[in-house]
Amino acid sequence: MLEAQIYVTLKRSVLDPQGETVKSGLASLGFTGVEDCRVGKFLVLTLGETDPERARGQVEEMCRRLLANPVIEEYRFQLREVAG
Amino acid sequence: MLEAQIYVTLKRSVLDPQGETVKSGLASLGFTGVEDCRVGKFLVLTLGETDPERARGQVEEMCRRLLANPVIEEYRFQLREVAG
């Protein structure tokens, strides 16, 4: 079986209020050395598909159609073989 | 400067309703080959700290105190050098 690890992040040009909130939270705990914080999603999919080429195409399409909002987000992913 | 890439995921033993919802959403789009889906957080912190050892200790503490809930989540992170 294949596992897809997908990272969905806001584009650099998009404001990240959740990241700002985390940064403030860290600052109020004394971690004042954080200059920037961006928060994204990390998805792990286990796929029945065993052919890496086909799996890559499917995950690409899942990202475009559901997992990421291409207007404000970007994504990348990697596939790895896992024990079924 | 250093950048910390932090992955926060639910422990395997914890139910992931958000992951189940994404899995159903994918299935209704025709992606029926997804056997499991887990959703986590992906954080990218830019740190003023330049010493990797000290930065590692700080990020470890940030994860324990704010970024992850150790009861239900686990975390891992990696540091990399970025242009300041």
Side-chain angles (χ1 to χ4, degrees), chain A residues 44-65:
Chain A
V44 181
L45 302 183
T46 309
L47 305 170
E49 180 61 63
T50 51
D51 176 70
E53 240 0 89
R54 275 204 301 266
R56 193 169 297 280
Q58 286 172 11
V59 174
E60 186 73 40
E61 202 187 334
M62 291 178 203
C63 288
R64 270 190 291 112
R65 291 183 60 194

PDB file of all heavy atoms in Angstrom, chain A residues 44-65:
ATOM      1  N   VAL A  44      -2.493  12.727   6.013  1.00  0.00           N
ATOM      2  CA  VAL A  44      -1.889  11.442   5.676  1.00  0.00           C
ATOM      3  C   VAL A  44      -2.984  10.535   5.144  1.00  0.00           C
ATOM      4  O   VAL A  44      -3.942  10.208   5.852  1.00  0.00           O
ATOM      5  CB  VAL A  44      -1.215  10.801   6.912  1.00  0.00           C
ATOM      6  CG1 VAL A  44      -0.577   9.476   6.527  1.00  0.00           C
ATOM      7  CG2 VAL A  44      -0.173  11.735   7.496  1.00  0.00           C
ATOM      8  N   LEU A  45      -2.873  10.152   3.877  1.00  0.00           N
ATOM      9  CA  LEU A  45      -3.857   9.273   3.246  1.00  0.00           C
ATOM     10  C   LEU A  45      -3.238   7.905   3.022  1.00  0.00           C
ATOM     11  O   LEU A  45      -2.114   7.803   2.524  1.00  0.00           O
ATOM     12  CB  LEU A  45      -4.289   9.815   1.880  1.00  0.00           C
ATOM     13  CG  LEU A  45      -4.892  11.208   1.789  1.00  0.00           C
ATOM     14  CD1 LEU A  45      -5.304  11.497   0.347  1.00  0.00           C
ATOM     15  CD2 LEU A  45      -6.079  11.351   2.704  1.00  0.00           C
ATOM     16  N   THR A  46      -3.971   6.870   3.368  1.00  0.00           N
ATOM     17  CA  THR A  46      -3.555   5.520   3.012  1.00  0.00           C
ATOM     18  C   THR A  46      -4.353   5.112   1.782  1.00  0.00           C
ATOM     19  O   THR A  46      -5.586   5.192   1.782  1.00  0.00           O
ATOM     20  CB  THR A  46      -3.837   4.547   4.172  1.00  0.00           C
ATOM     21  OG1 THR A  46      -3.273   5.099   5.354  1.00  0.00           O
ATOM     22  CG2 THR A  46      -3.217   3.187   3.909  1.00  0.00           C
ATOM     23  N   LEU A  47      -3.648   4.721   0.743  1.00  0.00           N
ATOM     24  CA  LEU A  47      -4.291   4.459  -0.544  1.00  0.00           C
ATOM     25  C   LEU A  47      -4.297   2.968  -0.875  1.00  0.00           C
ATOM     26  O   LEU A  47      -3.301   2.268  -0.635  1.00  0.00           O
ATOM     27  CB  LEU A  47      -3.534   5.197  -1.653  1.00  0.00           C
ATOM     28  CG  LEU A  47      -3.358   6.709  -1.460  1.00  0.00           C
ATOM     29  CD1 LEU A  47      -2.404   7.264  -2.493  1.00  0.00           C
ATOM     30  CD2 LEU A  47      -4.706   7.408  -1.528  1.00  0.00           C
ATOM     31  N   GLY A  48      -5.404   2.505  -1.442  1.00  0.00           N
ATOM     32  CA  GLY A  48      -5.462   1.134  -1.924  1.00  0.00           C
ATOM     33  C   GLY A  48      -4.601   0.953  -3.165  1.00  0.00           C
ATOM     34  O   GLY A  48      -4.021  -0.109  -3.383  1.00  0.00           O
ATOM     35  N   GLU A  49      -4.492   1.982  -3.956  1.00  0.00           N
ATOM     36  CA  GLU A  49      -3.682   1.959  -5.174  1.00  0.00           C
ATOM     37  C   GLU A  49      -2.237   1.551  -4.862  1.00  0.00           C
ATOM     38  O   GLU A  49      -1.679   2.023  -3.888  1.00  0.00           O
ATOM     39  CB  GLU A  49      -3.717   3.374  -5.786  1.00  0.00           C
ATOM     40  CG  GLU A  49      -2.926   3.563  -7.058  1.00  0.00           C
ATOM     41  CD  GLU A  49      -3.435   2.670  -8.188  1.00  0.00           C
ATOM     42  OE1 GLU A  49      -4.585   2.841  -8.600  1.00  0.00           O
ATOM     43  OE2 GLU A  49      -2.681   1.793  -8.626  1.00  0.00           O
ATOM     44  N   THR A  50      -1.681   0.685  -5.691  1.00  0.00           N
ATOM     45  CA  THR A  50      -0.300   0.259  -5.418  1.00  0.00           C
ATOM     46  C   THR A  50       0.679   0.788  -6.458  1.00  0.00           C
ATOM     47  O   THR A  50       1.889   0.704  -6.255  1.00  0.00           O
ATOM     48  CB  THR A  50      -0.198  -1.281  -5.381  1.00  0.00           C
ATOM     49  OG1 THR A  50      -0.819  -1.790  -6.583  1.00  0.00           O
ATOM     50  CG2 THR A  50      -0.893  -1.856  -4.167  1.00  0.00           C
ATOM     51  N   ASP A  51       0.155   1.300  -7.556  1.00  0.00           N
ATOM     52  CA  ASP A  51       1.057   1.828  -8.590  1.00  0.00           C
ATOM     53  C   ASP A  51       1.394   3.291  -8.287  1.00  0.00           C
ATOM     54  O   ASP A  51       0.504   4.152  -8.264  1.00  0.00           O
ATOM     55  CB  ASP A  51       0.376   1.713  -9.967  1.00  0.00           C
ATOM     56  CG  ASP A  51       1.229   2.330 -11.066  1.00  0.00           C
ATOM     57  OD1 ASP A  51       2.282   1.756 -11.383  1.00  0.00           O
ATOM     58  OD2 ASP A  51       0.853   3.407 -11.571  1.00  0.00           O
ATOM     59  N   PRO A  52       2.655   3.614  -8.020  1.00  0.00           N
ATOM     60  CA  PRO A  52       3.016   4.974  -7.608  1.00  0.00           C
ATOM     61  C   PRO A  52       2.629   6.036  -8.637  1.00  0.00           C
ATOM     62  O   PRO A  52       2.187   7.123  -8.246  1.00  0.00           O
ATOM     63  CB  PRO A  52       4.535   4.916  -7.444  1.00  0.00           C
ATOM     64  CG  PRO A  52       4.851   3.485  -7.248  1.00  0.00           C
ATOM     65  CD  PRO A  52       3.835   2.716  -8.033  1.00  0.00           C
ATOM     66  N   GLU A  53       2.769   5.720  -9.915  1.00  0.00           N
ATOM     67  CA  GLU A  53       2.450   6.718 -10.933  1.00  0.00           C
ATOM     68  C   GLU A  53       0.966   7.083 -10.888  1.00  0.00           C
ATOM     69  O   GLU A  53       0.587   8.238 -10.916  1.00  0.00           O
ATOM     70  CB  GLU A  53       2.834   6.208 -12.331  1.00  0.00           C
ATOM     71  CG  GLU A  53       3.845   7.038 -13.081  1.00  0.00           C
ATOM     72  CD  GLU A  53       4.345   8.267 -12.368  1.00  0.00           C
ATOM     73  OE1 GLU A  53       5.336   8.219 -11.619  1.00  0.00           O
ATOM     74  OE2 GLU A  53       3.716   9.322 -12.557  1.00  0.00           O
ATOM     75  N   ARG A  54       0.124   6.034 -10.837  1.00  0.00           N
ATOM     76  CA  ARG A  54      -1.322   6.286 -10.778  1.00  0.00           C
ATOM     77  C   ARG A  54      -1.690   6.989  -9.469  1.00  0.00           C
ATOM     78  O   ARG A  54      -2.529   7.896  -9.448  1.00  0.00           O
ATOM     79  CB  ARG A  54      -2.102   4.979 -10.917  1.00  0.00           C
ATOM     80  CG  ARG A  54      -2.336   4.561 -12.388  1.00  0.00           C
ATOM     81  CD  ARG A  54      -3.550   3.641 -12.511  1.00  0.00           C
ATOM     82  NE  ARG A  54      -3.404   2.442 -11.710  1.00  0.00           N
ATOM     83  CZ  ARG A  54      -2.922   1.275 -12.183  1.00  0.00           C
ATOM     84  NH1 ARG A  54      -2.575   1.160 -13.447  1.00  0.00           N
ATOM     85  NH2 ARG A  54      -2.816   0.231 -11.394  1.00  0.00           N
ATOM     86  N   ALA A  55      -1.083   6.541  -8.373  1.00  0.00           N
ATOM     87  CA  ALA A  55      -1.375   7.149  -7.068  1.00  0.00           C
ATOM     88  C   ALA A  55      -1.029   8.636  -7.095  1.00  0.00           C
ATOM     89  O   ALA A  55      -1.794   9.479  -6.613  1.00  0.00           O
ATOM     90  CB  ALA A  55      -0.584   6.449  -5.965  1.00  0.00           C
ATOM     91  N   ARG A  56       0.109   8.964  -7.696  1.00  0.00           N
ATOM     92  CA  ARG A  56       0.534  10.354  -7.774  1.00  0.00           C
ATOM     93  C   ARG A  56      -0.523  11.209  -8.497  1.00  0.00           C
ATOM     94  O   ARG A  56      -0.891  12.286  -8.051  1.00  0.00           O
ATOM     95  CB  ARG A  56       1.877  10.427  -8.509  1.00  0.00           C
ATOM     96  CG  ARG A  56       2.617  11.725  -8.424  1.00  0.00           C
ATOM     97  CD  ARG A  56       4.036  11.583  -8.967  1.00  0.00           C
ATOM     98  NE  ARG A  56       4.797  10.650  -8.155  1.00  0.00           N
ATOM     99  CZ  ARG A  56       5.369  10.967  -6.980  1.00  0.00           C
ATOM    100  NH1 ARG A  56       5.263  12.197  -6.508  1.00  0.00           N
ATOM    101  NH2 ARG A  56       6.035  10.066  -6.284  1.00  0.00           N
ATOM    102  N   GLY A  57      -1.033  10.671  -9.613  1.00  0.00           N
ATOM    103  CA  GLY A  57      -2.066  11.377 -10.369  1.00  0.00           C
ATOM    104  C   GLY A  57      -3.327  11.574  -9.548  1.00  0.00           C
ATOM    105  O   GLY A  57      -3.939  12.649  -9.564  1.00  0.00           O
ATOM    106  N   GLN A  58      -3.723  10.528  -8.819  1.00  0.00           N
ATOM    107  CA  GLN A  58      -4.940  10.619  -7.999  1.00  0.00           C
ATOM    108  C   GLN A  58      -4.786  11.661  -6.898  1.00  0.00           C
ATOM    109  O   GLN A  58      -5.684  12.476  -6.661  1.00  0.00           O
ATOM    110  CB  GLN A  58      -5.242   9.260  -7.360  1.00  0.00           C
ATOM    111  CG  GLN A  58      -5.797   8.230  -8.344  1.00  0.00           C
ATOM    112  CD  GLN A  58      -5.892   6.838  -7.724  1.00  0.00           C
ATOM    113  OE1 GLN A  58      -5.736   6.679  -6.517  1.00  0.00           O
ATOM    114  NE2 GLN A  58      -6.132   5.831  -8.561  1.00  0.00           N
ATOM    115  N   VAL A  59      -3.651  11.636  -6.218  1.00  0.00           N
ATOM    116  CA  VAL A  59      -3.454  12.568  -5.100  1.00  0.00           C
ATOM    117  C   VAL A  59      -3.410  14.002  -5.621  1.00  0.00           C
ATOM    118  O   VAL A  59      -3.990  14.916  -5.021  1.00  0.00           O
ATOM    119  CB  VAL A  59      -2.181  12.215  -4.292  1.00  0.00           C
ATOM    120  CG1 VAL A  59      -1.903  13.281  -3.236  1.00  0.00           C
ATOM    121  CG2 VAL A  59      -2.330  10.842  -3.648  1.00  0.00           C
ATOM    122  N   GLU A  60      -2.754  14.181  -6.748  1.00  0.00           N
ATOM    123  CA  GLU A  60      -2.711  15.499  -7.383  1.00  0.00           C
ATOM    124  C   GLU A  60      -4.146  16.014  -7.599  1.00  0.00           C
ATOM    125  O   GLU A  60      -4.466  17.158  -7.268  1.00  0.00           O
ATOM    126  CB  GLU A  60      -1.984  15.347  -8.732  1.00  0.00           C
ATOM    127  CG  GLU A  60      -1.711  16.636  -9.478  1.00  0.00           C
ATOM    128  CD  GLU A  60      -0.605  17.480  -8.860  1.00  0.00           C
ATOM    129  OE1 GLU A  60       0.405  16.904  -8.408  1.00  0.00           O
ATOM    130  OE2 GLU A  60      -0.782  18.713  -8.822  1.00  0.00           O
ATOM    131  N   GLU A  61      -4.994  15.138  -8.119  1.00  0.00           N
ATOM    132  CA  GLU A  61      -6.371  15.546  -8.406  1.00  0.00           C
ATOM    133  C   GLU A  61      -7.159  15.796  -7.105  1.00  0.00           C
ATOM    134  O   GLU A  61      -7.948  16.742  -7.020  1.00  0.00           O
ATOM    135  CB  GLU A  61      -7.040  14.462  -9.260  1.00  0.00           C
ATOM    136  CG  GLU A  61      -8.235  14.989 -10.045  1.00  0.00           C
ATOM    137  CD  GLU A  61      -9.003  13.882 -10.774  1.00  0.00           C
ATOM    138  OE1 GLU A  61      -8.390  12.827 -11.101  1.00  0.00           O
ATOM    139  OE2 GLU A  61     -10.228  14.057 -10.973  1.00  0.00           O
ATOM    140  N   MET A  62      -6.944  14.951  -6.093  1.00  0.00           N
ATOM    141  CA  MET A  62      -7.610  15.171  -4.789  1.00  0.00           C
ATOM    142  C   MET A  62      -7.243  16.533  -4.226  1.00  0.00           C
ATOM    143  O   MET A  62      -8.089  17.248  -3.684  1.00  0.00           O
ATOM    144  CB  MET A  62      -7.151  14.104  -3.772  1.00  0.00           C
ATOM    145  CG  MET A  62      -7.632  12.709  -4.053  1.00  0.00           C
ATOM    146  SD  MET A  62      -6.953  11.587  -2.798  1.00  0.00           S
ATOM    147  CE  MET A  62      -7.036  10.025  -3.666  1.00  0.00           C
ATOM    148  N   CYS A  63      -5.971  16.888  -4.338  1.00  0.00           N
ATOM    149  CA  CYS A  63      -5.523  18.178  -3.813  1.00  0.00           C
ATOM    150  C   CYS A  63      -6.217  19.300  -4.560  1.00  0.00           C
ATOM    151  O   CYS A  63      -6.725  20.247  -3.950  1.00  0.00           O
ATOM    152  CB  CYS A  63      -4.011  18.323  -3.947  1.00  0.00           C
ATOM    153  SG  CYS A  63      -3.094  17.284  -2.821  1.00  0.00           S
ATOM    154  N   ARG A  64      -6.244  19.188  -5.882  1.00  0.00           N
ATOM    155  CA  ARG A  64      -6.825  20.270  -6.675  1.00  0.00           C
ATOM    156  C   ARG A  64      -8.323  20.405  -6.417  1.00  0.00           C
ATOM    157  O   ARG A  64      -8.872  21.492  -6.372  1.00  0.00           O
ATOM    158  CB  ARG A  64      -6.564  20.033  -8.167  1.00  0.00           C
ATOM    159  CG  ARG A  64      -5.242  20.656  -8.636  1.00  0.00           C
ATOM    160  CD  ARG A  64      -5.120  20.619 -10.150  1.00  0.00           C
ATOM    161  NE  ARG A  64      -4.959  19.254 -10.637  1.00  0.00           N
ATOM    162  CZ  ARG A  64      -5.852  18.565 -11.351  1.00  0.00           C
ATOM    163  NH1 ARG A  64      -6.993  19.137 -11.676  1.00  0.00           N
ATOM    164  NH2 ARG A  64      -5.611  17.338 -11.747  1.00  0.00           N
ATOM    165  N   ARG A  65      -9.007  19.248  -6.265  1.00  0.00           N
ATOM    166  CA  ARG A  65     -10.457  19.292  -6.193  1.00  0.00           C
ATOM    167  C   ARG A  65     -11.016  19.448  -4.786  1.00  0.00           C
ATOM    168  O   ARG A  65     -12.134  19.926  -4.608  1.00  0.00           O
ATOM    169  CB  ARG A  65     -11.044  18.036  -6.849  1.00  0.00           C
ATOM    170  CG  ARG A  65     -10.812  18.056  -8.361  1.00  0.00           C
ATOM    171  CD  ARG A  65     -11.431  16.864  -9.043  1.00  0.00           C
ATOM    172  NE  ARG A  65     -12.872  16.772  -8.848  1.00  0.00           N
ATOM    173  CZ  ARG A  65     -13.584  15.679  -9.122  1.00  0.00           C
ATOM    174  NH1 ARG A  65     -12.991  14.587  -9.582  1.00  0.00           N
ATOM    175  NH2 ARG A  65     -14.883  15.668  -8.932  1.00  0.00           N
TER     176      ARG A  65
END
